[in-house]
Amino acid sequence: MNLHDLVSQLIIDSTGSASLITPDSSLRAFLPELVICATVLAMLFVRLFRVGRYVDMFWIALAGSIAALYFAAPWDHLGAVLTADQAAHPAAVTRMEIFTGMLVYDTFSVYVRSALFLFAILFVIFTRLSGIPDHEDSPDIYTLVLGATLGMCLMVTANHLLMVFMAVEMASVPSYVLAGILKGRRQASEAALKYSVYGAGAAGVMLYGISLVAGILNTAHIPTIALTLAEKFSGGLSAVPSGELMVLALGALLISVGLAFKLSAVPFHFWCPDVFEGATAEVNAFLSVASKAAALALLVRVALGMGVIAPTGFAPGERWAKTHQNAPATTPTSTDKTTDLFYIAQEPVTAAGAAAAADSTAEPAKLPAMQSLAPVRSFTAKLIAFFAIITCTFGNLAAYGQTNIKRLLAYSTIAHAGYMMMPVAAVVAMAGIDNAGAARGIAGLAIYIAVYLFMNLGAFAVVAFLRNAMRSEEIADYAGLVRRCPLTVVCFSLILFGLIGLPPLSGFIGKFAIFASLVDGWRAVEAAGQPGFYLLLLLIVGGINTAISLFYYLRVVKVMTIDDEPADRPPLVYSDVSLAGAYLWLITLPTAGLIVAWDWLSEMADAAARNLIG
Amino acid sequence: MLTPDVLLTLIVFLPAIGALAVAFMPSDSKDWIRVVTLGVTIAVMALVIGGLMVPENLSGGWNKGLVFDTAQADVQNVVNLPWIPSFEIDYFLALDGISFPLVVLTAFVCLLAMAASWTITKHVKAYCILFLLLETGMIGVFVSLDFFLFYVFWEVMLLPMYFLIGVWGGPRKEYAAIKFFLYTLLGSVLMLIAILMLYFYSDVSDPDLVAHLDKCSLRPEVRARAEKLAADRLPARDVVVAARAKLAAAREDAKAGTKSAAESAKEIEAAEKALQTAIADEAAVTVKGGGPLHTFNILALQQIGQNTLQFSQTIQWWCFVLLFIGFAIKVPTIPVHTWLPDAHVEAPTPISMILAGVLLKMGGYGIIRICYPICPHGGYDLMWWVCGIGVASMIYGAFAALAQKDFKRMVAYSSVSHMGYVVLGLGVWSARAETGFNSYFWDMGVKGAMFQMIAHGISSAGMFFLVGVVYDRVHHRNLDEFGGLFGKMPYYTALAMGIFFAALGLPGLCGFPGEFFVVMSVWKFSPLLAILSAAVVVLTAGYILWAVQRVYLGAEYKGPHEDHLTPSNFRENTIGTVFLFFAILFGVFPHLVLQYMDKTIDKQTKLLANWTAAVKEAQPTGRAVGNALRGVPPPVAAEPVGNALRGVPEPVAVEPPGAE
């Protein structure tokens, strides 16, 4: 292969065809991210000019986020199940590895990215109302937020361990700066420093794990890792040299450290409360929602990617070439060549095996490959279950003693990370046994992410508005607030009850969905004759934790509604009837009213889970 | 003209709509808010009575086809609309003889409790909003027959209740409120686990279920799908049944020792393998046809629990335990009753009335509607535990009531004691081999329990109201510091005597028939428990009479604020008189209540008695001896497989002698 071929194949891979950008090209799939990039650049560029100083960056950031959501188009891609004909349409979203397999574009990416962009829109409006970035700071903050969002999008779509690392770093580095955005506040600087030191450590450990795994398996491309593992384990666990097995397990553990850091899973959560206390409530909202959603999506990508043989998808430009047979210059690029390029460029050793497996004729070989990956899945599921149990329990217990609302919500975030990891364990355990059930489990997680987005954003919005009103973030200072601003207190109470997971609030829908996936997983795994007790244990732990969490959420509600107002509270400058109040109601409405009709959400979540498992 | 959809939805959600309306009223016009709230509760009562009880020829025909038909055993006024199709969750409301009396009771107690709420002067607007939301939750629990919907309503009550106790309660209100919340939440989390287990093990496309689909009130589309898939599965199911019979035969042979040990072990192994393959084949057919069709429909789950093998004995046992704990907390029985005295003592009077009058009934309702019909295996295996818990609650509650110094706490413990009768009555599974599977006595126990729930709703809500009246005047509840109220508040004391005697179970008042039926039915089950439960009546008489003596009789009042002991006013007299009126009415004519529940309860106990005969205590016929008890699926349940599909009439269960 000469250089010219290489370049022309790269062009085809990026644009879909040699002459134009097709709807099924890598670039088209990546368009929302490109929009975010353009927005970031625009904000930096406008600032260079004197006139630009007067431009309000809020509008640019808002327009950019809306445009990104528009191009992500969840309303187009998260519909009913596609027929084979519909899936063959170039604009349809099934599974497509883009940019030579570095990223993967499927309905799950569409769903989580859309959630991230929706969050970005709501977040930008929220910062405007809370006034934390003043005119001078706003380009910095919005640039960092959108930059981190870009990194999170990459986390959601990562298909290669190097991309995993890059994406995690790209999401983390702006977050470090965001944590310290209030210049001159000791606490903020401390938070930023702690965050970055922890982050750097975790990143290093993860990179080490990646190098171990990639070194043993000669690849870092996640679907190829699954194939190689399947090949290795095809003779049973005992056929693998024990040293190799140990290095693989160690690699997986080290990678999980990096993921656990992003998820703030116990015992890698220590940064979380300190950072949340030091950073502003706005930044907390961003970290606790967007960062967490992306980390969960990444967990799904890595855990499922390594434990499941990836379903066959299309290559960029393939469908366009089929539907436009006469289109120029598409004939020389058949699919396996694109794949060839990628594998040759990266790992010549496994190229033959991978190409053979990617070929559709190798379909019958998939089933035994799935079977031989069973030990990988079992290991992953138990590892995640273990993290979920301690994270959830510790988060809830530690939240009990907090007096600062931001610390309390930090521990609540940790606990929720634990809840959200539970369905992932069930999904990994179910894959290969009951694929439809596994897809429902992913859908459950997707539902949880959607409802959690509104609940946590709302909670931090209340904290920010109250901070502006009374310069305090101590729970004790909230005493008797119901007498001053009843509507806000009602909102906050609804959100907190939602976080407990009480019906009829939307938190219950999320909890119901993930508990359902656990029961489903337990039943399926037991029916297949494998030990599924740990899934039942997860369910019981989840249930008991729900009851434990009641105490501390309810304490905040109690302080606000039942307690008397303190005599020495800072003066309260706040009105329920304001833009801020309206925004709060806007955010609370989905939490309070979703129960009336949430089938559409469930269907979208089902659609999101469709292309993950064969 | 009304349809059931509109009527039932209105009955459930009218209070919530009222709450929304109240939210937009100015908060300083307290009297208007109270009047509107009372108006809403009256409207709900009017809808229940006017829509469901007044005969068509009297109502002018506006409730045509809606009047509750006491001759019908199945559910009526069915509303079944798709809600969340991706989880097969329906908006499924209906009434039958078990739920209808409780709906009426709820509307009745809410109306009187709201009338008693004029004494609440703090944050009236918030109080009324929460009160109305609470009413929506309570009625919703009784009318919803979709498990998910039921659970949502069940939890909806928690939030208003927490605030109603926590904001308007007594000195230890926060402690009491969170204790109530925590206990109930823990119970409902266990319930959620059981609900999900039942959901994922259920499958309405089971060929065994086809003959029983009529009783499930599935939506027509779902039913059509279920029937089609069941027909597809039938050939595969025949193979499964044959394999199962073969396995049972092989095991029998092994036991009889007709063949050598090695040979029969081999045979069993082969049969087991064949069975597994057959089950896997059927599962493959199911999946191919778009199944399995899980369901949250409570009626379908009942049929599945009684007529198919989907819920194994272990699953039923665990689900029964989980659900029973959840409901027992609400009843409450010992040892999970400790929230009740605190909640009652701290709650304001009207909320105590609702708590005792309605909320406790939800536990009993759950046990009779969900625990026994869905998980009969668990109910059968644990019948001694259930009855034991019931009797222990009765005795413990009565002794605890005797020891109380606080008037309200004494009434609260009397609730524990009285609700013990309910648990006992529901649990007396006397339809066993020794009675010839005669469901008569169990039927009597369940009816007694249901009657006791209604009667307790009247007498105990009345007692809390009466305690509240005197507490409003003298601001203490110390039993030892009362006395002589007869002289100062004569009319009030007369009411109190009547209602307290009703709680005591005096013949001619509403407390008597329920207790009598329960104790009678227990005699067939266990004479020891019958004697114990009958003896509790003496203890009840002890604490009630002693309280009456210390509070109302005696020469003079011994406590503080003597000058505040003014005679009861018109509003208080009216409420008390209504309570007393119904206490006497239902005591003299228990049939007024029983007529509504007769058919439904007859049917339910008869079905469970047949189930006992067919599955649990299968008579030695041929080789199938006691297989059910060893976990081997019973041949009886396997026999009628798909007969309905083939047009063969289902074998009619043999009527046990003396059932009528």
Side-chain angles (χ1 to χ4, degrees), chain B residues 180-461:
Chain B
F180 161 79
F181 205 149
L182 187 71
Y183 267 76
T184 320
L185 185 70
L186 200 65
S188 49
V189 165
L190 298 181
M191 207 158 94
L192 181 63
I193 293 175
I195 292 175
L196 287 169
M197 279 188 183
L198 292 173
Y199 173 73
F200 279 108
Y201 277 96
S202 70
D203 182 1
V204 285
S205 71
D206 192 316
D208 286 351
L209 195 66
V210 171
H212 307 278
L213 281 179
D214 275 337
K215 300 176 201 136
C216 302
S217 294
L218 292 173
R219 280 190 296 123
E221 309 91 271
V222 178
R223 182 168 178 172
R225 274 172 66 200
E227 280 178 341
K228 188 173 170 304
L229 187 51
D232 291 346
R233 283 172 65 172
L234 194 53
R237 173 56 65 94
D238 285 340
V239 180
V240 173
V241 172
R244 203 166 266 156
K246 204 163 175 193
L247 178 61
R251 287 204 176 135
E252 275 312 309
D253 287 345
K255 192 161 312 121
T258 46
K259 289 171 193 161
S260 73
E263 203 176 332
S264 52
K266 213 185 216 167
E267 208 170 68
I268 288 176
E269 199 183 326
E272 269 171 356
K273 207 168 220 170
L275 179 60
Q276 271 170 16
T277 327
I279 289 176
D281 286 349
E282 192 190 343
V285 176
T286 315
V287 171
K288 203 168 148 228
L293 304 174
H294 301 314
T295 186
F296 276 115
N297 180 319
I298 290 178
L299 299 180
L301 290 173
Q302 292 179 352
Q303 295 306 322
I304 290 172
Q306 293 174 28
N307 296 308
T308 73
L309 303 173
Q310 286 170 29
F311 304 152
S312 69
Q313 193 173 354
T314 327
I315 292 291
Q316 290 201 10
W317 198 91
W318 276 107
C319 287
F320 185 90
V321 170
L322 292 173
L323 291 166
F324 187 81
I325 293 175
F327 294 132
I329 287 174
K330 207 75 167 184
V331 167
T333 66
I334 60 162
V336 285
H337 67 285
T338 55
W339 64 269
L340 182 97
D342 289 311
H344 268 315
V345 168
E346 301 307 326
T349 304
I351 301 309
S352 283
M353 289 165 69
I354 289 195
L355 207 55
V358 183
L359 247 66
L360 308 190
K361 310 304 173 292
M362 289 176 181
Y365 173 77
I367 294 173
I368 181 174
R369 165 78 78 204
I370 290 166
C371 280
Y372 278 96
I374 297 184
C375 312
H377 272 294
Y380 183 92
D381 292 348
L382 295 169
M383 57 183 151
W384 287 101
W385 281 96
V386 174
C387 294
I389 287 172
V391 173
S393 294
M394 284 156 62
I395 297 173
Y396 177 83
F399 272 118
L402 265 175
Q404 296 311 313
K405 294 258 182 287
D406 183 311
F407 200 178
K408 216 170 174 185
R409 238 183 147 77
M410 184 219 90
V411 178
Y413 274 110
S414 84
S415 281
V416 176
S417 177
H418 282 132
M419 291 305 284
Y421 282 102
V422 175
V423 176
L424 177 63
L426 296 178
V428 283
W429 198 304
S430 51
R432 284 174 298 155
E434 55 259 47
T435 59
F437 304 108
N438 185 344
S439 69
Y440 182 74
F441 298 101
W442 190 15
D443 194 37
M444 193 194 241
V446 175
K447 277 180 200 162
M450 276 295 294
F451 192 92
Q452 173 78 352
M453 288 210 272
I454 305 291
H456 179 256
I458 291 169
S459 65
S460 138

Side-chain angles (χ1 to χ4, degrees), chain B residues 451 455 497-503 505-514 580 582-588:
Chain B
F451 192 92
M497 296 273 187
I499 290 174
F500 274 82
F501 283 141
L506 200 68
L509 292 170
C510 68
F512 177 68
L580 184 59
F582 282 102
I584 296 172
L585 185 70
F586 293 156
V588 179

Side-chain angles (χ1 to χ4, degrees), chain A residues 280-293:
Chain A
T280 65
E282 291 81 355
V283 173
N284 293 347
F286 185 73
L287 292 181
S288 75
V289 179
S291 182
K292 201 117 308 175

